[in-house]
Amino acid sequence: QSALTQPASVSGSPGQSITISCTGTGRDVGGYNYVSWYQQHPGKAPKLIIFDVSNRPSGVSNRFSGSKSGNTASLTISGLQAEDEADYYCSSYTSSTTLDYVFGTGTKVTVL
Amino acid sequence: QVQLVQSGAEVKKPGASVKVSCKASGYTFTTYSMHWVRQAPGQGLEWMGWINPNSGGTNYAQKFQGRVTMTRDTSITTAYMELSRLRSDDTAVYYCARKHRTREEYYFDYWGQGTLVTVSS
């Protein structure tokens, strides 16, 4: 079971929108609506920002939104702010026989 | 408020074992399974397995089977992850994270602060 594929880096200017893709297979992203996204600042623990493809936990900014099409999920950050600079990881439940959850390779978001 | 507080950093020699603890508070310990995720320096997240605090049942990623043991002590609402036969590539930050045990939820809503385990001779 390989990690889900994400772009290594994405950048944008303050106020812009950016989108991070997360590509898997029919055994994970494409097979279930159980994609979640985590934000991780340097030296900190991951923080849940999207669950079940497109739902936001209480307290998470509505500038974060998620979607899915086929085997690819996406996270969009609109109105980019300096505090959004962080690493972002997608995750999915998987029907793999070797593990229950798979994470993405991670994307470094830089605010220019 | 929900808190997962992990034990402190460890330095171990190759071949040794390490046991990391995760003290839970602010919720009913047995309602959520405890998962362990690790992150090697500069690398991504890797799921290791989970323990059901209610039954003690476990499920490990195949990669770690035979080397990892997850346990819990419900009297002190603490989960443990022990990794044996340590190698240099086990150097990583180890996180505990909770997931609701019975609801159809497949995400980790609270995470511990992480425990750095360094394996070096």
Side-chain angles (χ1 to χ4, degrees):
Chain A
Q1 172 77 47
S2 299
L4 306 175
T5 301
Q6 298 181 230
S9 62
V10 173
S11 62
S13 300
Q16 287 187 328
S17 293
I18 61 169
T19 297
I20 303 168
S21 61
C22 168
T23 301
T25 69
R27 300 191 72 172
D28 37 67
V29 175
Y32 306 93
N33 288 322
Y34 296 140
V35 176
S36 52
W37 289 88
Y38 302 87
Q39 176 192 61
Q40 186 180 36
H41 287 106
K44 299 295 187 182
K47 173 190 173 185
L48 176 70
I49 56 172
I50 293 286
F51 65 92
D52 294 351
V53 175
S54 59
N55 294 290
R56 279 187 310 277
S58 173
V60 172
S61 172
N62 59 8
R63 298 185 299 102
F64 294 94
S65 61
S67 62
K68 190 186 86 167
S69 177
N71 294 338
T72 298
S74 298
L75 173 72
T76 297
I77 308 175
S78 57
L80 201 60
Q81 298 181 1
E83 68 213 46
D84 300 331
E85 186 160 297
D87 293 324
Y88 292 82
Y89 293 91
C90 60
S91 177
S92 176
Y93 175 79
T94 173
S95 60
S96 165
T97 57
T98 60
L99 76 174
D100 287 358
Y101 291 86
V102 61
F103 284 94
T105 50
T107 299
K108 168 67 176 176
V109 168
T110 300
V111 181
L112 301 172
Chain B
Q1 73 284 20
V2 174
Q3 282 193 304
L4 300 177
V5 179
Q6 298 183 223
S7 49
E10 303 261 13
V11 179
K12 296 292 183 180
K13 293 195 182 305
S17 297
V18 68
K19 190 171 185 177
V20 179
S21 67
C22 173
K23 165 73 174 174
S25 62
Y27 70 97
T28 302
F29 183 58
T30 52
T31 303
Y32 289 77
S33 55
M34 196 67 78
H35 295 243
W36 291 87
V37 176
R38 77 177 187 179
Q39 185 172 37
Q43 302 300 307
L45 302 169
E46 181 175 33
W47 182 82
M48 298 180 68
W50 57 260
I51 181 167
N52 176 343
N54 191 48
S55 66
T58 56
N59 187 38
Y60 306 138
Q62 187 176 78
K63 174 178 179 177
F64 300 101
Q65 282 181 4
R67 283 209 305 142
V68 70
T69 304
M70 295 177 188
T71 57
R72 91 295 189 214
D73 185 337
T74 55
S75 68
I76 55 172
T77 63
T78 299
Y80 303 91
M81 187 285 299
E82 183 171 21
L83 190 62
S84 63
R85 303 195 300 278
L86 290 168
R87 308 185 292 253
S88 57
D89 61 357
D90 290 319
T91 294
V93 175
Y94 290 77
Y95 294 101
C96 59
R98 75 168 199 176
K99 179 195 105 48
H100 200 280
R101 197 168 55 79
T102 56
R103 289 200 295 255
E104 282 232 12
E105 297 178 357
Y106 295 87
Y107 52 87
F108 311 112
D109 59 352
Y110 282 91
W111 295 62
Q113 84 276 18
T115 296
L116 175 62
V117 175
T118 302
V119 182
S120 173
S121 54

